[in-house]
Amino acid sequence: MNAVSSPVDLCCFHCGESVPDGTCFSIHYRQRSEPACCAGCQAVAQSIIDAGLDAYYERREAPADRAEPLPQALREQLKLYDDPQLQAGFVATDGELRDAALMIEGITCAACIWLNERQIARVPGVSDVSINYTSHRARVRWNPAQTSLSAVLEAVAAIGYRALPYDRARQEAAQAKARKSALFRLWVAGLSMMQVMMFAVPVYLAPTGEIEPVWLKLMNWASLVLTLPVVAYSSWPFYVSAWRDLKRRRTGMDLPVTLGVLSAFFASVYALITDHGEVYFDSVSMFVFLLLTGRYLESQARAKAGAALEQLAALIPAFAHRLADYPHDRSVHEAAVARLAVGDVLLIKPGEAVPADARVVEGQSQLNEAMLTGESLPVEKRQGDALIGGTINLDSPLIATVERIGEESRLAGIVRLLDRALAEKPRLALLADRVSGAFVAALLVIAALTWVFWHFHDPIHALPIAVAVLVISCPCALGLATPVALTAATGALARRGVLVSRGHALETLANVTDVVFDKTGTLTLGEPRIEMVIPLAKQGENTLVALATALEAHSEHPLARAFAASEHPTASNIINHPGGGLSGHIDGIPYAIGRPDFVAQFCRTKQPDLPDEMGGTLVALVSENEWLAWFILADSPRHDAGTTIATLKHRGLRTHLLSGDSTIAAGGLAQRFGIDHWQARATPEGKLDYLRRLQAGGARVLMIGDGVNDAPVLAAADVSIAMGAGTDVAHSAGDAILLENRLQRVPEAIGFARRTRQIVRQNLAWALIYNLVALPIAVAGWVTPWLASVGMAASSLLVVLNALRLARSPWSK
């Protein structure tokens, strides 16, 4: 600890609070010492700097909250979160990695997000972290072999924040409490406003001098008493928000409102006491009531816009009917869903939601999967079929075995992807945030100049005119214009089976010029079958299919599904060569299967002549010494592939097909559907080169694929969509997922994205025009404060209601 020369009149380098006299804490920052107000701030700041994150102090918009040292008791509590049973409700397993949903407390600005993300990312073993600025919900992925969840939580606590497991019940309770509080403040303001107006209206209507001064003064005092609850209680959220902004040396949207309310009220009190000037108690109570009304309606509308995510999270029931000793005993025992385990047998009655991902072992029924997949028609399920947790059993009772629970379930995966999409702010939203902050600062200057001008020309009306300027031009509409529209659109798309998983997807999808398709599993069903086996050596067809099955059993490529011999040997040392095929050993002999030009490098003998391919996909099987067989595979196109491509071309989009398949197979499919450009025998590198050439030519590319070999090109495209039946790697690389594998959703989603862009532009235009028109009118003194509050509330409500049209509108054409 180094002494600081003189703590008097110094502010803490970390939190900005005054440094008490006699305090000797210092922070070493870039070759100099900075003062700290306490040991907590010193420890937190030094942790940030020592971690190489000193850039935080340049990026932050305001000082951080005052920090306290992390108590030992809290450290011990954090260790409890390493218990696997405790993690079951909020941690998902993804191979060797773990994925947790956390709530970060203490976040106040974008720099806090930056700091927390980098602090968590520095923990050894953490592979990914993202934090939602709106909900402060974080997604953290880590390797449990290298670190623990408690280490992540301690890293957050070390820089003055607090991370806790995401608790939906806790969040709902907090939202309900906030809603109740807002309603009560609104009720108090409304009641006071009506009483004040009972005194104000007769004064406005009566001829000058008709009301005797003593009665007039009595009514003004009564108005003061009735306005006090409005100023002291109903307006409190405005003060808190404004003070928080001031502490962080920034200008928020509630600062003009606070200045308007307090200046009008205290000026009225002064006029009443000194008996000089006018009183504005009616204006104060009315515009606080109108502001609160607008804020409440706006908050409800915003909650409705983001309801899709919460509705998904609420699909899983709290309890399930467990058959503890099925099939010997069919006695039903009620069990909490949180206590279910993989392998439990459940009874799902008609009308109930499926408690977890499961597989039917007895019964036949129809299920409603609309909320998860967008499929409006009931889906029939029978023995052996998979059930998705959260779907509704419609007809008959089903008995099913639990396969996945908690964060491992498909519903939890969908919620994670939606969460990630809403956590990422698109470019337009970031720009609007920066403009709003600068606008408020300019507004304060204009209001001050307005007051000065009117003070010298019409001093009696200088204050109400300045208040009207402060209130009418609050840029709430500007700040809401983009995020509310994108939230409503993301929820609407999810209900239609298009799961947007990244924040920029909608904005980019509206601007695409070219659509690139993969072939197998995307334009085709991905359910190939063996049309013909052509032996090239002495082995019989069954033996050749068994050898191929042994190798392809280790592949996730859709073509591998064609090989399904019931009995086959075991292959070892399998190596997957994306875009080529597989190599491995069977009974100690090396084999390879895949494209002819690929397997040729594994065989010492010359490649035989190619057979007539009959329009199918040609696969070769070789050993180290000889060519063993040709397999001709066939796959059926999706029923909506032709109409999808025709619709895209009708809208002026160029279509492309990239396939690793043969020229005959890829060219035949491209010709059948009228695809503009196609390339056969494309390796993953070749697909990537093709895509980059398109982008270099100015194209904005949408890529649609499903396989492991599509992942690089999905990630490199301007925007990408993975098929719902595709691999996990493709899902991770895609910006959106087609849950029901319906290609017709692609042109529909593009149309919806364009509709969303139109709504965003409308909102931004309205917010801009409103402020350009309203501000001069208010400066000219043509608007009263209460009328200004009506205008401000109406403008915010208008952009929210306009955005909500996306949730109700049909698919755009």
Side-chain angles (χ1 to χ4, degrees):
M1 175 187 316
N2 293 337
V4 178
S5 57
S6 174
V8 179
D9 297 327
L10 293 179
C11 294
C12 176
F13 179 66
H14 180 70
C15 71
E17 299 283 349
S18 298
V19 177
D21 292 342
T23 301
C24 297
F25 298 104
S26 68
I27 300 165
H28 298 288
Y29 176 69
R30 297 186 176 176
Q31 312 302 321
R32 65 178 188 269
S33 291
E34 298 286 353
C37 64
C38 62
C41 284
Q42 182 196 41
V44 168
Q46 210 59 61
S47 297
I48 293 172
I49 295 168
D50 293 345
L53 300 172
D54 51 319
Y56 162 70
Y57 291 104
E58 294 176 342
R59 290 169 172 264
R60 64 178 183 176
E61 299 169 7
D65 288 332
R66 185 167 181 165
E68 300 293 342
L70 193 62
Q72 184 59 33
L74 180 57
R75 291 179 187 273
E76 294 177 0
Q77 288 177 8
L78 295 182
K79 294 287 185 188
L80 298 177
Y81 287 117
D82 292 332
D83 185 346
Q85 290 187 342
L86 197 59
Q87 293 182 2
F90 65 97
V91 176
T93 300
D94 183 8
E96 295 180 348
L97 300 179
R98 300 290 182 271
D99 186 323
L102 305 174
M103 290 176 64
I104 308 292
E105 295 182 352
I107 287 176
T108 57
C109 65
C112 297
I113 301 287
W114 179 89
L115 175 62
N116 275 277
E117 287 183 342
R118 276 151 187 79
Q119 173 74 354
I120 295 173
R122 293 179 63 87
V123 177
V126 172
S127 60
D128 188 29
V129 55
S130 63
I131 302 174
N132 185 319
Y133 181 74
T134 303
S135 65
H136 300 170
R137 184 158 53 179
R139 284 285 177 187
V140 182
R141 288 166 66 85
W142 75 95
N143 187 337
Q146 300 177 30
T147 190
S148 62
L149 178 59
S150 62
V152 175
L153 302 181
E154 281 193 35
V156 174
I159 55 173
Y161 299 82
R162 189 176 184 192
L164 296 169
Y166 178 74
D167 186 339
R168 182 169 169 268
R170 180 174 172 174
Q171 187 186 47
E172 285 183 345
Q175 290 172 343
K177 183 180 179 182
R179 189 165 53 248
K180 183 178 179 181
S181 174
L183 271 176
F184 190 68
R185 291 181 194 279
L186 179 61
W187 179 80
V188 170
L191 189 63
S192 298
M193 179 202 69
M194 287 189 290
Q195 299 299 318
V196 172
M197 292 307 292
M198 287 178 61
F199 296 116
V201 170
V203 175
Y204 291 143
L205 298 180
T208 306
E210 184 173 294
I211 301 177
E212 293 184 15
V214 62
W215 293 110
L216 188 62
K217 191 154 190 172
L218 185 60
M219 286 192 289
N220 285 339
W221 276 104
S223 296
L224 166 62
V225 172
L226 291 168
T227 307
L228 267 176
V230 178
V231 175
Y233 175 72
S234 297
S235 302
W236 190 254
F238 301 129
Y239 308 153
V240 172
S241 176
W243 176 242
R244 190 168 55 230
D245 289 334
L246 285 175
K247 280 174 63 181
R248 287 160 177 77
R249 299 173 188 173
R250 67 184 183 192
T251 51
M253 297 181 188
D254 286 332
L255 183 57
V257 174
T258 299
L259 290 175
V261 171
L262 294 180
S263 57
F265 177 75
F266 286 112
S268 300
V269 173
Y270 177 80
L272 182 60
I273 293 174
T274 61
D275 207 13
H276 178 71
E278 294 189 13
V279 296
Y280 307 103
F281 297 122
D282 54 334
S283 295
V284 170
S285 59
M286 179 172 285
F287 80 67
V288 169
F289 171 72
L290 292 172
L291 282 174
L292 290 175
T293 302
R295 292 282 175 97
Y296 180 76
L297 294 176
E298 170 200 313
S299 66
Q300 295 307 298
R302 276 192 288 129
K304 188 176 180 181
L309 186 63
E310 298 305 323
Q311 287 173 358
L312 283 177
L315 287 178
I316 296 295
F319 299 97
H321 314 299
R322 184 162 56 188
L323 305 178
D325 194 23
Y326 176 85
H328 308 294
D329 183 2
R330 290 176 177 260
S331 301
V332 175
H333 302 274
E334 297 301 313
V337 170
R339 297 288 183 185
L340 291 181
V342 174
D344 282 351
V345 179
L346 306 177
L347 171 65
I348 306 162
K349 298 179 181 178
E352 293 183 346
V354 178
D357 290 356
R359 192 165 295 277
V360 179
V361 295
E362 184 180 320
Q364 180 176 341
S365 183
Q366 291 190 322
L367 275 83
N368 182 350
E369 298 182 346
M371 191 66 195
L372 291 177
T373 66
E375 172 56 67
S376 57
L377 297 176
V379 180
E380 186 167 333
K381 299 289 182 181
R382 58 185 66 194
Q383 185 176 2
D385 288 342
L387 303 178
I388 306 173
T391 55
I392 307 298
N393 181 17
L394 298 177
D395 290 340
S396 307
L398 292 171
I399 296 177
T401 303
V402 174
E403 292 190 332
R404 289 177 297 191
I405 57 174
E407 287 291 312
E408 306 294 334
S409 67
R410 185 177 179 188
L411 177 61
I414 291 174
V415 171
R416 279 198 298 276
L417 290 175
L418 271 178
D419 207 25
R420 184 177 68 180
L422 295 175
E424 299 172 354
K425 275 196 169 186
R427 180 181 52 83
L428 274 177
L430 293 173
L431 179 62
D433 285 350
R434 288 197 293 270
V435 171
S436 298
F439 185 86
V440 171
L443 176 62
L444 294 177
V445 175
I446 293 173
L449 294 176
T450 301
W451 183 85
V452 171
F453 173 83
W454 283 102
H455 181 70
F456 290 106
H457 291 78
D458 186 0
I460 292 179
H461 294 102
L463 182 62
I465 291 173
V467 170
V469 169
L470 288 170
V471 174
I472 202 169
S473 297
C474 182
C476 296
L478 187 62
L480 291 170
T482 302
V484 176
L486 293 179
T487 302
T490 302
L493 282 168
R495 286 192 289 272
R496 290 164 169 84
V498 182
L499 185 62
V500 176
S501 59
R502 286 195 168 85
H504 75 91
L506 275 172
E507 189 179 1
T508 312
L509 199 59
N511 298 318
V512 296
T513 58
D514 293 65
V515 182
V516 180
F517 290 93
D518 170 51
K519 175 180 165 287
T520 304
T522 302
L523 285 180
T524 67
L525 291 172
E527 298 173 355
R529 59 190 181 278
I530 300 175
E531 284 285 287
M532 182 179 292
V533 180
I534 304 176
L536 301 174
K538 59 184 179 182
Q539 292 92 336
E541 290 187 11
N542 291 338
T543 302
L544 294 168
V545 173
L547 290 172
T549 302
L551 295 169
E552 295 286 6
H554 299 271
S555 173
E556 291 190 352
H557 195 283
L559 288 179
R561 300 168 195 161
F563 300 93
S566 57
E567 295 183 1
H568 59 80
T570 301
S572 59
N573 301 325
I574 295 292
I575 299 176
N576 188 1
H577 306 269
L582 297 164
S583 62
H585 290 74
I586 301 175
D587 296 330
I589 302 174
Y591 290 89
I593 188 170
R595 286 170 33 184
D597 58 339
F598 162 73
V599 300
Q601 60 186 305
F602 291 88
C603 186
R604 295 172 180 168
T605 58
K606 183 181 177 183
Q607 176 181 326
D609 294 335
L610 295 174
D612 295 334
E613 297 182 11
M614 302 173 62
T617 301
L618 187 65
V619 174
L621 175 66
V622 301
S623 68
E624 187 178 22
N625 299 316
E626 58 183 345
W627 289 70
L628 300 177
W630 299 115
F631 296 98
I632 297 178
L633 311 182
D635 195 4
S636 301
R638 295 187 184 277
H639 69 91
D640 54 355
T643 55
T644 297
I645 291 169
T647 305
L648 292 171
K649 294 178 68 174
H650 179 70
R651 293 183 181 177
L653 300 174
R654 292 183 292 272
T655 54
H656 306 258
L657 172 63
L658 297 180
S659 173
D661 228 332
S662 67
T663 302
I664 293 178
L669 195 69
Q671 189 174 14
R672 175 177 176 178
F673 293 138
I675 296 175
D676 299 316
H677 309 279
W678 59 276
Q679 179 174 315
R681 301 187 183 283
T683 62
E685 295 80 8
K687 290 182 178 180
L688 202 54
D689 289 341
Y690 187 96
L691 179 83
R692 286 175 174 161
R693 286 198 300 273
L694 285 178
Q695 292 173 322
R700 303 296 299 273
V701 182
L702 163 64
M703 176 69 202
I704 305 170
D706 72 316
V708 173
N709 58 340
D710 295 325
V713 73
L714 284 170
D718 295 284
V719 61
S720 57
I721 298 177
M723 303 298 287
T727 62
D728 292 339
V729 177
H731 290 172
S732 299
D735 300 314
I737 299 172
L738 289 180
L739 292 175
E740 276 296 287
N741 304 304
R742 293 186 174 186
L743 288 173
Q744 67 191 51
R745 297 299 190 203
V746 173
E748 293 171 349
I750 293 174
F752 199 77
R754 291 176 176 176
R755 175 75 172 150
T756 303
R757 180 180 61 184
Q758 183 183 10
I759 293 285
V760 169
R761 288 177 176 176
Q762 288 173 356
N763 283 352
L764 290 173
W766 163 252
L768 186 62
I769 293 172
Y770 165 79
N771 282 294
L772 289 177
V773 173
L775 188 57
I777 292 176
V779 171
W782 296 342
V783 181
T784 60
W786 70 267
L787 192 58
S789 64
V790 172
M792 194 276 275
S795 67
S796 299
L797 199 56
L798 183 65
V799 298
V800 174
L801 294 177
N802 192 36
L804 284 179
R805 291 194 297 142
L806 288 166
R808 298 189 296 270
S809 66
W811 288 97
S812 299
K813 303 297 182 187

